[in-house]
Amino acid sequence: MIVMQMVDVETYGTDYVKVTWSPDMAGDTQTAQIAKALTPLGFDRVILSRCDSESAITWGVKLGIHNFQGRFLDAMTAAVTMAQCPKAAACTLPQCNRRHGVIAGNPRAECGDNDMLDLFPSLKAIRL
Amino acid sequence: MTPPPPSPAAPVGATVLPGAAETQLVDYLTRLDRHRTDRRAVLIQLSGLQPINRREHHLRAASSPFAPLVNVQNAQAFNLTNADLMVVYKAAVQDAVEAAIVKLRFMFSDDPMILKEETSTLSFCTWYSLIEDYTEVMDLARGRLDEIMELQRRAKVRAEPAAPDKRSRGVPLTPDLLTKAEAALDQADLANLMRRQAVCALVGQSSPQPVFNELFISILELRQALMPQVNVASSPWLFQQLTETLDRRVLSLLNKHDDRTLESDISINLNVSTILSPEFQKFDDNVRPGTRGTIVLELQKIDIFADLGAYLFARDFARDRGYRICIDGLTYAMLPYVDRERLGADLIKLVWEPSLADEAGGQSQAIRRIGPSRIVLCRCDSPAAVDYGQSVGLSLFQGRHVEMLLQTDLRRRGKARPR
């Protein structure tokens, strides 16, 4: 957040900008400052990273951010995968989460349906 | 009759010594002299592309469409030293060569050379038939080779009397060497290595007016004294760590000074972390309250952006005490990314580089945004630097040329340099 106060993020001409989520960004003043800093860039070019809680996603969606990254998203992805996977009965949520997080090695080999693992499920958030 | 096996040209896209490709081309054309039937050549003038389109990976990519032809011996590609590409091929593969060139035109389609090719005198490709144009191609290859030989000869003559760059010699700085260097610094007497250089106001033709003196430790001399075999600049991050130790020593040196150094207008180079250290507190206690406003703290941009939170805290602390803040070591390319006002700095130091003068006019916007009165043009080693600075509205200058002007002026007026 401090960085956004000090530099114009659009000056760098990048396709995306990663904003690191922190709970203290949720205050009204901070939200207004961040919205002001990101508006010239466009919220579709923002990735909100380190989203460890639902409140991060809620805050981001409210602001107009479309792209998210973080452990909360990983857990949601694993949960939705398990809900749709025919082999889900053999796994636990932490196992599925761990297997999602690797591209090779044992955790991936333990998965009963690698195709399902690689098929990124559609996640939906309630627009507030 | 089958032509002789061609001499191996430089592998497509390979980086070779200057002149090597030209030598190989001359050699290849000589061998081809009696087998010119159905041989053609095309010179692709990649040297005419914008520099941004002429980087090594572009040149590699430009050679790659010809690789299949080279592999089956229907063609030879020569990556000439000036980035041009000469392809000598059999007439049977004319269509394949033209197709490869279509790819290149597409690859560089946004380059002015391609965009303006129809109206320009410089052509992207020049085609040759080796039956009719053999002499022309050979002359071209020999001419290029001669030019490179001449350039190399001149470069050698120039290089001989020059002393090797002292800064880039020696073994690289490692964490172990850093520990030793820091231990040595703690023991060393740095008083003899302390240097000063004036920042002067230069307006029009008037005499230079010293605004403040930068006090600094000569890193080159420090290295000579402590670790002549080590290249301290080899690792910027280890060097940064070394400067933190240096900061503490400089502050203690200034604390010990029984002259009036701290009462004069000075600037010192510090790390952000040093401003928050006990050594700085002690230094601050030694400074008379009224003179803090005349002390400028110079901070490196890399140190500021490495931890903006720490910078803001240190900046507020220093400004509350009355010190002024200067962001040091900015090149022109960095100016658009630095918002002096938002960073809360009083001054910035812009490093003079001769190429600035070539682009005069283009920089005025960035300079206006920062504020010409807030910029110190540093490392002014020649009158061209001052001329450039004044042309864009700058008035604060620092560097060897400025020192020389100052000394000349003081001598003329018969005065000693003020402290």
Side-chain angles (χ1 to χ4, degrees), chain B residues 198-212:
Chain B
V199 170
C200 291
L202 285 169
V203 181
Q205 298 301 313
S206 62
S207 315
Q209 299 296 318
V211 180
F212 58 86

Side-chain angles (χ1 to χ4, degrees), chain A residues 37-60:
Chain A
L38 294 178
T39 300
L41 180 80
F43 290 102
D44 53 338
R45 287 162 64 191
V46 176
I47 300 170
L48 189 65
S49 67
R50 306 216 187 159
C51 297
D52 290 347
S53 65
E54 192 177 355
S55 55
I57 311 292
T58 312
W59 179 85

